[in-house]
Amino acid sequence: MNELALYRHEVLGAYAPARPLYERALTIREKTLVPDHPLTAVSLHNLARLLQAQGDLATARPLCERALAICEKALGSDHPDTAHHLNNLALLLQGQGDLAAARPLFTRALAIREKTLGADHPLTAAGLNSLALLLQAEGDLAAARPLLTRALAIRETTLGADHPDTAQSLHNLAHLLRDQGDLAAARPLSERALAICEKTLGPDHPDTAHNLNNLANVLQAEGNLAGARPLHERALAIRERTLGPDHPATAASLHNLVCLFGDQGDFAAARPLLERSLAICEKALRPEHPDTLRVRNNLTSLPSDGRSRD
């Protein structure tokens, strides 16, 4: 059940059919194994990751915390599996907007992996990637860039040039380069990441939508609004179909289209999308979450007549 759920979750991006399998596997393990068995922690972890992907962070958090507690007790504080659970809990905290709480968990997880698995292990690359994204969220792009570059090099060497994790690293580095204004360097990385995802995961996978958005944002920053729009629209359609109309990632795609319409001066088309994005964020995330605050601020400042507001 666990393996079938993983296939549906990670390969197909079919989240709804994966959930009952994860839940049933967890129930069996809790019933047949001792309460703090490492395999129970695995089931808790997998179900929590699925809930995170579905945008239900509040339900996922106690599962992450329980999985981490089991691993620390059963395997020790410096075990690679403990690092895995630390990293996952940190990702959840970051998703909830609590960067201060997430950072020491990411740092500790990376240190464990470098010590126990080595500096060039794929899981070390994952830890580098996670910490870099947190630094980027904090605005420290200079510190994040070498971590993303190192993670990409590890993944290309150990996993191959066309692995989905390599695509993730390409995507993340391209996003950072875009934020630094280096669009010429960002674009080929974005294009390569999207090509890998479409080839390995399929044209309708949530990760493909993620890469469509990133490439569209690069094109938009270059001033190519006509090229960006169909990519944003395709990403939104994938997310609405695979994740649902009320998922935070759907809200992000709506917001991306709003920004494009704003660049085109079409504020009438932007407003209903921004209102829908805000409604999703307020429902799915905390009212004080950075994404909710950003969308609310953008709605407040959106011109109603095509003129800029001070």
Side-chain angles (χ1 to χ4, degrees), residues 110 125 128-129 131-132 135 143-152:
L110 177 58
L128 289 163
N129 183 70
L131 181 56
L135 293 169
R145 184 166 177 170
L147 302 186
L148 291 176
T149 301
R150 183 180 157 205
L152 174 59

Side-chain angles (χ1 to χ4, degrees), residues 104-220:
L105 302 187
F106 279 136
T107 302
R108 184 181 158 204
L110 177 58
I112 294 170
R113 285 170 168 173
E114 288 186 308
K115 178 182 177 181
T116 60
L117 302 174
D120 297 323
H121 193 280
L123 287 177
T124 300
L128 289 163
N129 183 70
S130 295
L131 181 56
L133 292 180
L134 180 99
L135 293 169
Q136 188 172 355
E138 292 177 332
D140 193 351
L141 305 186
R145 184 166 177 170
L147 302 186
L148 291 176
T149 301
R150 183 180 157 205
L152 174 59
I154 294 170
R155 284 172 164 174
E156 286 184 309
T157 300
T158 60
L159 302 176
D162 294 327
H163 193 280
D165 287 354
T166 301
Q168 182 195 55
S169 279
L170 289 163
H171 167 276
N172 291 337
L173 183 55
H175 189 186
L176 183 138
L177 291 168
R178 190 193 80 216
D179 286 351
Q180 290 182 319
D182 192 351
L183 303 180
R187 182 167 178 172
L189 300 186
S190 294
E191 291 171 336
R192 186 179 155 205
L194 175 59
I196 294 170
C197 277
E198 288 186 308
K199 178 182 178 181
T200 60
L201 301 176
D204 296 323
H205 194 281
D207 287 357
T208 299
H210 197 51
N211 284 282
L212 284 164
N213 263 332
N214 196 45
L215 178 56
N217 286 332
V218 173
L219 294 174
Q220 191 172 337

Side-chain angles (χ1 to χ4, degrees), residues 48 51-62 91-97 248 284-285 289:
L51 291 167
Q52 286 173 258
Q54 291 180 313
D56 190 355
L57 304 185
T59 305
R61 183 167 177 171
L91 286 170
L92 187 144
L93 293 170
Q94 183 174 351
Q96 291 182 318
L285 305 172
H289 190 281

Side-chain angles (χ1 to χ4, degrees), residues 223-248:
N224 185 1
L225 305 186
R229 181 167 178 169
L231 302 185
H232 279 314
E233 290 173 336
R234 185 181 155 203
L236 174 60
I238 293 170
R239 285 172 165 172
E240 287 183 311
R241 184 167 57 252
T242 61
L243 302 176
D246 298 323
H247 193 280

Side-chain angles (χ1 to χ4, degrees), residues 1-10 12-24 47 50 54 241-243:
M1 288 177 196
N2 188 67
E3 294 304 313
L4 179 57
L6 282 169
Y7 178 75
R8 289 177 173 175
H9 172 190
E10 297 185 349
L12 301 181
Y15 298 156
R19 183 167 177 171
L21 294 174
Y22 278 143
E23 290 173 335
R24 191 173 163 205
L47 179 57
L50 179 71
Q54 291 180 313
R241 184 167 57 252
T242 61
L243 302 176

Side-chain angles (χ1 to χ4, degrees), residues 35-38 40-42 44-45 61-77 81-86 89 108:
D36 294 331
H37 196 284
T40 301
V42 170
L44 288 163
H45 166 80
R61 183 167 177 171
L63 303 185
C64 287
E65 292 171 336
R66 187 179 157 207
L68 174 59
I70 291 172
C71 263
E72 286 188 304
K73 179 180 179 181
L75 302 175
S77 59
D81 288 356
T82 300
H84 197 52
H85 293 297
L86 284 164
L89 179 56
R108 184 181 158 204

